[in-house]
Amino acid sequence: MSTAERVLAYGGGWLDRAGPLRTDPARLSALLTDSTTVLLPMWRDRCLVDGHGPVRLSTERAALVRSAASETVFLGLDAEVAVFAADLSALPEQAAVEMAGAVKSVDVRALVGRLEPGDAAAQAYARGLLHWHRQQRFCGTCGAPAVADGGGHARTCTGAECGRLLFPRIEPAIIVLVEAPGRSGRCLLARHAGAPEDAYSTLAGFVEIGESLEDAARREMAEEVGVTVTDVTYQGSQAWPFPAGLMVGFRATATSDEVRVDGEELLEARWFTRAELRDRAASGRSLGRVDAIDHRLLTDWLAESWSGPPPVRERGDGPPPPSSRW
C-alpha cells in the first residue's frame, strides 16, 4: 500500500471544514459566541501552549482574545463544536502568552510528536491560514486594502474599481526518491548547502507555472543532480503549511547512475544501499524529518525487498475520531 493511502503529519484532520458556513456570516457570528465554541490562539506562526499542550479557549477568555486579535478565522466543526483560530501577532509575545493563559509559544513542528494527528492538523491549518492573512493585507492588482471574507478563507479588495476576491496561496513542491537503474537496490540522496557534514536527504523542488507534477519531478532531478528519470510514480502528498506548502511525493528510476551537482545549492549527492541506510538509522542519524513525507518515502523503501513491499498501516489506524475532541 502506497504512502498516499496513509495519513502523514498535518493531514487527515478530524475537522469538518463546513464550507457552506463560510458564506453565512450570521451563523458564524452566533457560533463565535457560543459557549461550546473552541478558540485556538496563535502568535506569529507559533502555538500558545500550557502544561498540557496547545491551549483551547472558550467563554470569557476566548472573548478577551478575540477582542485583541488582528484576525479570527473559522476552521470548521468537530461534531457540533465550532473551532476558530485567532491571531495575537500584533501583541508582544509575553502579552499574547498571558492573555491566552499559556506559558510560552512553540512551533507546531516541535510539538507534532506529542500531539494526536487531528490536533497537529488543526494547529498547522490555523498557522497557515493566519500567516496568509498577515501577508495579504493589500490587493496585488490595485494596491487597495483587502479585508477578510468567507469566514477567513478569502479576502476582498476594497478598491472601488477593483473588488478582487483573493484566496490563500498554495505552493506545491515535489519530493522524489530516486532509485538506481537495474536491481542494485540503491537510492540517491544529497547534502544541501548549509546542512551538517553527514546529513543527506531526498531531492525536492517547487513546481513551476505550466508544469505537471511529473514534469517538475523530471526537471528538478535533471537540474539538481544531472539525472534523467523515468517511471515517475506518485506516492502521496502532505500538507506543509510552513507557510503554504503542499509536498507531493514520488518515486522515480534513474537511467544512469552518473551524478552531477552544482556545488552551490547541493554540495554532494551519492547512492545509498538499504544496508547503508539501515546502519545510519541504527546509529541515530536521521532519515529526514520524522514529521515529513521524505522520512516516510525512505522508511517505506527500506522496508521493502525484491519480493515486494510488506503490509503497512492503513489510513485510520490509531484512535478513531471521537464525537467531540474539545
Side-chain angles (χ1 to χ4, degrees):
M1 188 172 295
S2 74
T3 300
E5 295 170 286
R6 288 174 289 154
V7 177
L8 291 154
Y10 315 117
W14 297 323
L15 285 177
D16 171 3
R17 297 201 177 200
L21 282 178
R22 299 173 189 175
T23 57
D24 188 345
R27 179 62 177 145
L28 285 180
S29 180
L31 285 172
L32 194 56
T33 57
D34 190 286
S35 62
T36 65
T37 290
V38 169
L39 186 72
L40 307 180
M42 305 287 290
W43 181 83
R44 300 183 190 179
D45 298 336
R46 295 169 70 86
C47 307
L48 298 175
V49 302
D50 58 18
H52 303 288
V55 296
R56 304 160 179 169
L57 307 179
S58 58
T59 61
E60 291 85 358
R61 190 176 291 275
L64 177 64
V65 166
R66 289 199 312 271
S67 69
S70 54
E71 295 291 350
T72 299
V73 299
F74 174 63
L75 300 181
L77 300 174
D78 183 4
E80 299 300 317
V81 176
V83 183
F84 290 78
D87 192 353
L88 294 177
S89 296
L91 300 179
E93 181 176 10
Q94 190 56 37
V97 167
E98 292 175 0
M99 179 172 288
V103 296
K104 61 182 177 179
S105 69
V106 181
D107 191 321
V108 66
R109 287 170 288 189
L111 295 172
V112 67
R114 292 172 286 175
L115 297 178
E116 292 189 15
D119 295 331
Q123 293 290 330
Y125 173 21
R127 181 194 196 279
L129 193 54
L130 292 174
H131 178 94
W132 173 72
H133 278 283
R134 293 200 305 278
Q135 301 302 311
Q136 190 67 73
R137 295 295 184 188
F138 299 92
C139 175
T141 299
C142 72
V147 296
D149 204 348
H153 291 261
R155 292 182 74 86
T156 300
C157 170
T158 59
E161 303 299 322
C162 183
R164 181 182 175 189
L165 194 59
L166 309 169
F167 295 97
R169 176 179 175 178
I170 305 296
E171 299 170 352
I174 52 86
I175 184 163
V176 186
L177 187 144
V178 179
E179 296 183 273
R183 297 171 64 86
S184 62
R186 296 176 295 154
C187 73
L188 183 62
L189 303 180
R191 184 164 67 89
H192 291 73
E197 182 66 28
D198 196 37
Y200 294 88
S201 62
T202 51
L203 297 154
F206 285 103
V207 181
E208 295 185 352
I209 291 176
E211 280 187 321
S212 70
L213 297 171
E214 293 81 359
D215 288 341
R218 287 185 282 264
R219 174 184 55 77
E220 284 287 345
M221 299 310 100
E223 290 179 355
E224 292 201 348
V225 288
V227 170
T228 299
V229 296
T230 61
D231 302 323
V232 179
T233 305
Y234 175 76
Q235 298 295 300
S237 65
Q238 180 181 31
W240 194 256
F242 306 111
L246 173 66
M247 300 298 294
V248 186
F250 290 92
R251 280 198 197 179
T253 302
T255 59
S256 167
D257 59 7
E258 295 183 12
V259 176
R260 182 189 69 252
V261 298
D262 60 12
E264 296 180 4
E265 182 178 352
L266 294 181
L267 302 181
E268 181 186 1
R270 53 166 291 205
W271 299 97
F272 287 84
T273 66
R274 284 182 172 84
E276 287 175 313
L277 288 187
R278 290 190 186 104
D279 287 344
R280 290 175 65 85
S283 67
R285 285 174 287 185
S286 173
L287 299 179
R289 287 186 58 96
V290 296
D291 60 338
I293 192 172
D294 64 334
H295 180 77
R296 181 66 60 82
L297 291 172
L298 285 166
T299 54
D300 281 359
W301 184 77
L302 279 180
E304 292 177 8
S305 66
W306 289 116
S307 61
V312 294
R313 294 191 307 124
E314 297 187 9
R315 178 181 294 273
D317 282 3
S323 60
S324 177
R325 298 181 49 74
W326 312 102

